[in-house]
Amino acid sequence: MAVPSRSLLRAVARLAAPSLFALALPSHAAGQGGAPPPSPDSIASPAAALVTGARAADAVRDGVRVTRAVTIATSAPVIDGRLDDAAWRAAPVASGFTQREPRAGEASRYRTEVRVLHDAQAIYIGVHAHDPAPDSIGRQLARRDPEDIYSDWINVGIDSFRDRRTAFVFALNPRGVQADWYQFNDTEEDPLWDAVWIGAAQVVADGWIAEFRIPLSQLRYSRTQRTGAGDLPPGSWGFNISREVARDGEVSFWSPTPPDQPGIVSRFGTLAGLDDLGGASALELIPYLRTQGTTRPATAVSALTPANAGEAAAGLDLRYRLPRNLTLSATVNPDFGQVEADPAVVNLTQFEVFFPERRPFFLEGFDAFNFGGTRTLNDDGPPNFFYTRRIGRAPVRGVGGGAIAAVDRPTQTGILGAAKVSGKTPGGWSVGALLAATRAETARLLDTSGTRSRLRVEPPGGYGILRLRKDLRGGNTVFGGITTLATRDAAGAFASLLAERSLVAGIDFEHAWANRTWAVSGVASRSVITGDRTFITRLQRAPYRLYQRPDADHLGVDPTRAALPGHFVAASVAKTGGTVVGSATYEETSPGFETNDLGFQQRADFRTLSTALLYRSLVQGERGLARAFRSWEAGTFNTFSYNFAGDRLATRTAIEGSAQFANFWTTFFIVSRSAAAYDDRLTRGGPLARLPERWRTTLELGSDSRRAAILNLSLNADGDPTGRRGIGIGLGADLRPTSALRIRVSPELVDRTENDQYLATVDDPTATATFGRRHVFGIIDRRELNLTTRVDWTWSPTLSLQLFVQPFAAAGHVRGFRSFARPRAFEFAPLDAIRDAGVVTLDADGAGGGTPFTIDEPDFRIRSLRGNAVVRWEFRPGSALFLVWQQQR
């Protein structure tokens, strides 16, 4: 039984690991350019093998590469980055890697030798990566799971589920930096998956060596499974190893993985010799302890919130291996500390801003709950069925009033506990089940008379989700379903604020053929929300639904309803293999569909057809202009959207292209045009508006990613014939003065003028053209500036300091007030305005008979500073200590 410990303030936002099993081109961060790549002739006779007496292990069975793991007969090897242990001498050698980049299909120019052992506790992999120029090997130092550092890598992929769709991937660089991630659905990644394993590496005279010890407890497999899955024989797993050489960008695989053919895990070879595997440890306990001190500025101090406060907390995570490859994960008083704040944004829309999840319990194994997407290259933003930040979100009830002198209101809802079961059974069923309970929250109040009181701001709640999928035909056909449920004690003051019960159920499928080059997929789901009639009425009027629109004949607010049903369906056909790829996708979200109790949804009432056609040149040419590009691609993307009344909401066409040049510079561009179309959200519940034709363009340029200093430039511009315009300029500097220090600075400036900024709606009987209501808009000039800075200082792969700082400033000035003139047009009538002491008095007809009205001053100035410093020490595998300083102003 392993009992590691970790702090509450552990790093939960793992940055993108250097995945060589991804479809996208791997990126290389800055460092020293090193020596030029050797010619094939210089590697034809590699240095003598480090281990003598090795036996060849390569074989091909039915077109699949096979190697063998040897049971350790004596003592296990010491993980020290050397292959001089006796056990390695008995291990067969697998070699013969094939390039994926830049010369797909050709033999690797660097010899790589692989050996595999196992005992009752672990799998051992030893890799000798030969290199005639060891001084030029990329070896950037970083903490675990680094982001695009300049480094060579060895990556080991293990498909212990034996399904040709999922794999656990472990990576080492020449300095012993570790990375790991979980591969699912053949090509998708979960970079936030963490395992407890040991690795060591070192540079030697003829290259470098990587040594892995992966405990069986970190893999999911069945000892009793004796029949093959797909084309895997009994006693074997799917297996692949890839190698990346940083200085010339070569990526090679032991089992060939062509870039123009779909599939990553389905291209794995076979690791045989696993008939006598033992059982893994079933129980893992992960306790944590956190202490925290908070200092507030004088302006935030009150009788309820002192200038200085401290607290401590403890909790426990549990993982238990269940039968049939399933794992139970549970948490009590969860470890939900965040080491990086959400970025500062200015949101002038009526829609919620999506922020990524950062909490470890929800991040780990999240792929088991994915639902709602289809195999496509272009869609129109389908709803998210499981947005984990809904669990533990901010309390829903506001607190205020003239008699309130001070308030101490919780910023999030406490989670009493949560448990989930996930995994994949030997029969091909993928399971994801989660239950969570949140507690009631109260705010402390102090009124002007000095009386203290408490007010409940959130009732107790329960959340549940069940996701099932079944693989057929070796994973080429998949079907499944999902059910999500949220329940709360929505009585009394909460009746108009929360649903009593939110239920969503759906099914999905995917079928691939022609060696997975072609695929069809689809989703069908239904939601039902029940609660008090006041809440259902409020839901009908929500910004993403707007049943109250006066000219929407297919809608209408019904205050007697106690439930709101709806549906979402989608279907796609896609070609994902070859140099020409494309897709066509249809999506339909009915007006009543709702996922926001456990998902994330920004609109309903629309139908969309999206298409994509893309040409990819993924292999560097040998002659002429083709030699200038390592890879490039270009394509066109089209979207056609309508609401359920048949009003055309969007006709967008975009041309996109990207390239990586032979000198490792990169570029990306997009030019898009939106034809004139209707907007049923612009007036926020008022009549339909017609938007003019609009355009947008983006250009990005990046310098050689192998150098010690990388520069990036991004330009964004958009506009329309009515005067709307915007420009954004972003610069980036990625500096590595030493192999242990990395500094990233990313200033960004945005300058926009918008002539359709919604401000308010007021009743006005004289506004007959707009159904007795006047919709006020402004011409707003706004600017934003942020300077995001990150510093990574790494002393060893287990001890590091990370610094994040984001100064942010924004200002907006409204220089013209006007009202929406008539439906199905983009016309406005000017309003007379008098600004005084934070209030704007507006008059539609000057000296006429209309009644003036007031709105709050819309001009704004915002300044914020967010940052933190994190010292991370992994004092033993799976156990870490964090010291965190946070600043939020």
Side-chain angles (χ1 to χ4, degrees), residues 32-54:
Q32 302 305 317
S39 65
D41 293 340
S42 69
I43 311 177
S45 300
L50 182 65
V51 179
T52 60

Side-chain angles (χ1 to χ4, degrees), residues 660-680:
Q660 185 181 45
F661 299 96
N663 62 1
F664 285 82
W665 283 60
T666 59
T667 186
F668 168 80
F669 75 89
I670 177 173
V671 178
S672 66
R673 173 186 175 272
S674 297
Y678 292 108
D679 188 337
D680 54 10

Side-chain angles (χ1 to χ4, degrees), residues 56-122:
D58 289 313
V60 178
R61 298 175 186 168
D62 299 324
V64 178
R65 297 202 70 180
V66 180
T67 190
R68 187 172 186 83
V70 173
T71 303
I72 297 174
T74 56
S75 59
V78 177
I79 307 302
D80 56 4
R82 300 167 59 88
L83 299 181
D84 54 0
D85 303 89
W88 291 121
R89 298 191 182 97
V93 178
S95 60
F97 280 50
T98 301
Q99 290 189 53
R100 178 182 174 95
E101 304 165 24
R103 308 279 188 185
E106 294 185 9
S108 171
R109 294 178 294 176
Y110 303 87
R111 179 171 174 80
T112 306
E113 298 175 341
V114 180
R115 299 163 173 84
V116 184
L117 306 168
H118 77 86
D119 58 19
Q121 287 79 39

Side-chain angles (χ1 to χ4, degrees), residues 207-286:
W208 66 285
I209 292 172
E211 203 172 9
F212 301 74
R213 182 187 185 275
I214 302 169
L216 296 176
S217 62
Q218 304 304 297
L219 305 173
R220 297 183 183 181
Y221 65 97
S222 173
R223 295 182 62 194
T224 59
Q225 183 174 342
R226 290 293 181 243
T227 58
D231 58 356
L232 282 171
S236 62
W237 289 345
F239 182 73
N240 210 352
I241 289 188
S242 65
R243 176 182 178 184
E244 180 177 1
V245 181
R247 65 181 181 274
D248 64 1
E250 180 181 299
V251 178
S252 59
F253 283 75
W254 170 70
S255 180
T257 308
D260 60 346
Q261 298 181 23
I264 300 296
V265 183
S266 57
R267 306 285 172 184
F268 277 22
T270 299
L271 178 64
L274 303 174
D275 302 86
D276 56 346
L277 281 183
S281 174
L283 180 64
E284 185 177 8
L285 300 177
I286 310 171

